[in-house]
Amino acid sequence: EVEIEVINKMKFPGYMLIVWDYIRYAKENGIPVGPGRGSAAGSLVAFALEITDIDPLPYNLLFERFLNPERVSMPDIDTDFCQERREEVIEYVAQAYGRLNVAQVITFGSLLAKGVIRDVARVMGIAYAEADRIAKLIPEKLGITLKEAFEQEPKIKEAVDSDPKIAKMWEFAVKLEGLKRNAGTHAAGLVISNEELWHKTPLFKSNVGTIATQYDGRFLEDVDLIKFDFLGLKTLTVVDNAVKIVKESYGVDIDFNAMPMDDPKVFELIQSGATIGLFQIESDGMQNLVTRLKPTSFEDIIAILALYRPGPMESGMLDDFIERKHGRKAIEYSFVELQEILEPTYGVIVYQEQVMQIVQKIGGFSLGQADLVRRGMGKKDIKYIEEQKAYFAEGAAKQGLDSKKAEDLFDLILKFAGYGFNKSHSAAYAMITYRTAYLKAHYPTAFMAALLTSEMDNTDKIVKYIDEMKRMGIALLPPSVAKSSIDFRPSHTDEG
């Protein structure tokens, strides 16, 4: 009865078929259809309760990416909540499963390149300005070490050679670099246990009374714990408030599930680069990217969020994607079978799901096996990858395909696998991007009012958004005892 009730709440027919298919598979294989380890039903319930509103079928979102019967390790579970009510969710979990069964996850701050310089200087009594000068000489590169910085920046060597005290500071800093500096709690991580946590992990109490595991996130699965990330996302609060303002001010009920995903006004707005306030695409770099790429479909938005990262940008993938989209570079497929998989991304391997589909289509792997290959590539397990390359070529030959070309394709996949992004994640975030763009395009005053309300205690952001309103031709009126609300609100109703 519960299963039927869940299915009746489904919006998309394709999803219903998958639910029925899953239930049949689960019953045949003795898998419990309900929440808990070894069951996929939690994801189906999440969809039915509208926690996620994306139909996975049009965007080729693969269930095996998470619900894989061949996968031994547990998946990561990340859930974004409206920021204002995240604490309520954590409180609910503690009440539902027991306060001794729920804890946050510890994090350890490390002495990294710039920080260790400043810490050592403070202990040695070196003036902050002098330590800051040396620290700022370290190149802005993610994960750079002091040794690498010394080799790359001649001015550091000059400073060390010219002042014995600076030389001593540098020597101590090199020895201390990488050690743990302090303990804290993960911004979103939470563990839930089926028994009191002290049976499985030592616990830590922070200065503010928060209970956390003493094992960090990497080791929790080894002691039979599963980690959830409960994230407070400010944009969800903005969208929720904007929808309420539209209802109050204009009498319009916005149904995002009925919203067209090819709205011309939305894409005109994004292509213009006027993306301030839009989720994930409001930075200067993103504004530049969207004006160059000029997205014309929801698939393009998904790809933008996946490609705007250091790896794809440094490797040239991002530029390649743009050139192919605008027809300035030819799109070629080593096997005709790849066209269906890579056409949405103009022949570029952007997503982890595409890696899985290629391995399945060309190598004859099951999607469950393909997910394991994806994980092996992500972890750079060379021995495992070499074994799978041989199986891939063999599987291609069995299907009558050129095994040498298949080996070359596998090497290409391997090159892109390190940069590949989880499309399911990117699609979910792209949906929020699209919704913020829809609100800004159709209800700009209501959207900007919600945006200003969300940043009332951040003067820099308020100034930025007021400047954007001036560009949009929206006036900001002074407070009025007779008319003002506690939050920002539109003063007229001529939007739509």
Side-chain angles (χ1 to χ4, degrees), residues 419-474:
Y419 304 131
F421 197 73
N422 171 358
K423 188 178 184 183
S424 300
H425 178 97
S426 194
Y429 268 18
M431 183 63 80
I432 303 173
T433 302
Y434 190 89
R435 288 179 180 180
T436 55
Y438 181 88
L439 288 166
K440 188 175 182 181
H442 290 276
Y443 301 96
T445 309
F447 179 70
M448 294 309 295
L451 207 55
L452 287 167
T453 299
S454 73
E455 299 291 356
M456 282 198 292
D457 56 352
N458 187 331
T459 307
D460 291 341
K461 285 282 185 77
I462 288 287
V463 169
K464 177 182 175 181
Y465 294 146
I466 290 174
D467 286 343
E468 175 67 359
M469 286 170 62
K470 287 176 182 174
R471 187 200 64 75
M472 296 165 69
I474 300 172

Side-chain angles (χ1 to χ4, degrees), residues 12 16 25 37 48 70 77 99 102 131 232 236 267 295 340 343 367 394-395 420 454 479 485 490:
F12 303 108
M16 290 184 193
Y25 172 85
R37 190 161 187 159
E70 296 175 60
I77 300 173
R99 295 195 178 276
V102 176
L236 294 179
F267 288 102
E340 182 185 354
E343 198 167 30
L367 274 176
E394 186 182 321
S454 73
S485 165

Side-chain angles (χ1 to χ4, degrees), residues 358-426:
I358 293 169
V359 170
Q360 179 202 27
K361 192 90 172 178
I362 306 299
F365 289 43
S366 72
L367 274 176
Q369 291 171 321
D371 184 51
L372 300 179
V373 172
R374 172 197 63 78
R375 284 168 57 80
M377 287 180 171
K379 293 183 176 181
K380 295 182 170 52
D381 185 338
I382 304 301
K383 184 182 175 186
Y384 178 77
I385 290 167
E386 287 301 323
E387 288 174 359
Q388 299 310 307
K389 181 178 178 179
Y391 293 139
F392 183 76
E394 186 182 321
K398 284 179 181 175
Q399 298 184 79
L401 301 173
D402 187 324
S403 60
K404 178 65 177 71
K405 277 174 69 178
E407 286 183 4
D408 293 341
L409 174 61
F410 195 89
D411 290 336
L412 182 67
I413 295 170
L414 190 56
K415 176 186 170 186
F416 284 102
Y419 304 131
F421 197 73
N422 171 358
K423 188 178 184 183
S424 300
H425 178 97
S426 194

